[in-house]
Amino acid sequence: MVSRIDTLALRYKVIRQFKQLLLMGREYPRGYRYFRDNLHAGFKKNAGLTDVKEIEQKLKFAEHIEREIAALYSLRKYRAMKQRYYDGDQ
Amino acid sequence: MWSSKNSVHVFGSPTSSRPTTCQLFRPPLQQQYVVITILAMPPRLNIVVPIKRVIDFAIKPRINQTKNVIETNGVKFSLNPFCEIAVEEAVRLRESSKDLVESITLVSAGSAKIQDTLRAGLALGADKATLIDIPAIDDSRSLELEPLAVAKLLKAFVEKSNANLVIMGKQAIDDDSNQTGQMLAGLLNWSQATNASKVTVDEASGVVTVAREIDGGTETLSAPLPLVITTDLRLNTPRYTKLQDIMKAKKKKTEKITPEDLGVDITPRLEIVSLSEPAKRTGGGKVDSVDALIGKLKGAGAI
């Protein structure tokens, strides 16, 4: 039996993950609206879950998405800088 | 040397009933000497990271033809990518070794709008920030704050704060001067290592080893502190800031000072004569056969 504190902590984690992804969506190439709509849909789809293990699995997936987006952004920036300042070097 | 003239009467010490005589400058026979050991302390880095707020790298700057300035209305600004790398490097130095870094201070010069950029830098992991308030230099007039003026402001600031390491971006993506770091090192009379692609600090000796990206390869320099380092693209990949760090950054201190406080004259010495966009790229053409290609190349004077 999962205690109420555990479920609260999990709920807090989920909300925080959502907010983090929402923050990252501001720079998304296909636009903030597109990103936000998809984010809402994704989280809403799993809103009814009650099993802790399942929730943690989904949370891990959300973290994975967060890392992927961060990688996308930093790669985009790196490539742009490299093209502007370093291509043309030997 | 120990004449009686140096004697002083002391009436009644705690442990005796008779008045005792102390002789000044004469150590008692059973003095216990206190041994003071000076421990060799590893140098602690006080890092200053100057940063710049620039038009976001993903945006193509446009020129406002009527005013002959860069169009900055409604344009997204952000932290200069090379400056981001500098802040990240300072934070990594702190994370690499406990007690190595004492403080990381950000500094930036311009209008009050740069507060947002300073906060972004604080969210990356810096401790505190200083805003050198120059209200006249708003976004559209940022080119009027020249590298030499910035270097002078930074020199005064660095000397005021007891910094021993400056890490900064090698250039800003808006003016591409690649001068401020070098000028700052010259004004401070510190060693400099520009275009750094790797920075290592030897904690025992306080010697910093820097690998520099130069034409044709990598050059490795080492110098003792104090030192100015400017960052190259390949130094590190900055982390993406977390929401919690952005919240924490709001509580970190930002102080405001003026060029007058630093005693620096920032009057521009250069005049911007004109601004123009680069020539539009003309489209290419397709050819059907090798002969046609040769014909076109001959026509263009290439062969």
Side-chain angles (χ1 to χ4, degrees), chain B:
Chain B
M1 215 156 63
W2 312 114
S3 69
S4 60
K5 285 191 190 149
N6 291 336
S7 307
V8 168
H9 270 281
V10 173
F11 290 92
S13 70
T15 50
S16 75
S17 53
R18 289 186 306 167
T20 42
T21 307
C22 292
Q23 281 193 301
L24 291 175
F25 313 115
R26 185 178 177 163
L29 288 166
Q30 282 137 355
Q31 177 158 16
Q32 284 177 313
Y33 288 92
V34 178
V35 178
I36 303 167
T37 314
I38 298 170
L39 298 161
M41 295 287 283
R44 299 200 58 194
L45 302 176
N46 266 305
I47 309 179
V48 165
V49 182
I51 62 170
K52 189 174 182 185
R53 176 173 179 266
V54 297
I55 294 178
D56 191 73
F57 81 99
I59 293 170
K60 214 169 196 172
R62 294 262 168 261
I63 296 178
N64 186 330
Q65 297 295 352
T66 47
K67 295 184 210 163
N68 208 30
V69 291
I70 310 274
E71 184 61 64
T72 56
N73 235 345
V75 170
K76 183 181 175 207
F77 279 74
S78 57
L79 182 54
N80 181 36
F82 294 109
C83 297
E84 238 178 353
I85 294 171
V87 181
E88 175 70 22
E89 191 59 26
V91 174
R92 283 196 190 187
L93 279 171
R94 162 173 278 159
E95 290 170 349
S96 71
S97 166
K98 205 170 99 94
D99 291 336
L100 175 62
V101 172
E102 185 159 336
S103 71
I104 303 172
T105 311
L106 303 177
V107 59
S108 193
S111 65
K113 284 189 190 172
I114 59 179
Q115 180 66 61
D116 296 330
T117 315
L118 284 168
R119 217 168 273 144
L122 288 169
L124 277 168
D127 302 324
K128 49 189 158 86
T130 301
L131 201 166
I132 304 176
D133 196 10
I134 311 171
I137 303 290
D138 66 358
D139 292 343
S140 58
R141 295 175 58 186
S142 65
L143 286 172
E144 287 177 31
L145 189 60
E146 293 164 10
L148 183 58
V150 174
K152 287 180 185 171
L153 287 169
L154 291 176
K155 169 195 187 267
F157 178 75
V158 166
E159 284 179 341
K160 240 177 53 151
S161 69
N162 64 332
N164 54 6
L165 182 62
V166 173
I167 309 179
M168 55 197 286
K170 68 171 186 172
Q171 64 198 76
I173 61 171
D174 54 4
D175 64 0
D176 288 322
S177 303
N178 199 333
Q179 296 169 10
T180 314
Q182 291 86 332
M183 285 179 177
L184 177 62
L187 289 170
L188 283 169
N189 205 25
W190 287 12
S191 316
Q192 60 175 287
T194 58
N195 307 307
S197 64
K198 189 165 162 65
V199 173
T200 337
V201 179
D202 179 2
E203 289 186 61
S205 57
V207 168
V208 183
T209 307
V210 179
R212 299 181 59 225
E213 293 289 317
I214 58 171
D215 294 343
T218 315
E219 177 189 57
T220 309
L221 295 180
S222 62
L225 298 166
L227 177 66
V228 173
I229 298 174
T230 70
T231 66
D232 184 75
L233 188 66
R234 286 161 262 234
L235 182 56
N236 61 46
T237 310
R239 62 198 67 189
Y240 199 90
T241 49
K242 292 218 154 225
L243 197 59
Q244 296 117 284
D245 296 332
I246 297 175
M247 293 294 145
K248 276 189 225 164
K250 289 188 180 166
K251 296 191 192 129
K252 293 183 184 173
K253 294 189 106 215
T254 305
E255 67 158 356
K256 265 194 183 174
I257 56 177
T258 63
E260 289 75 40
D261 294 338
L262 296 169
V264 174
D265 172 25
I266 57 161
T267 332
R269 296 179 180 196
L270 304 171
E271 184 200 329
I272 298 165
V273 176
S274 71
L275 285 169
S276 59
E277 291 186 13
K280 292 268 184 290
R281 202 168 155 255
T282 50
K286 275 192 168 174
V287 290
D288 301 327
S289 67
V290 177
D291 291 330
L293 175 64
I294 293 172
K296 286 232 165 176
L297 285 170
K298 278 191 176 162
I303 49 170

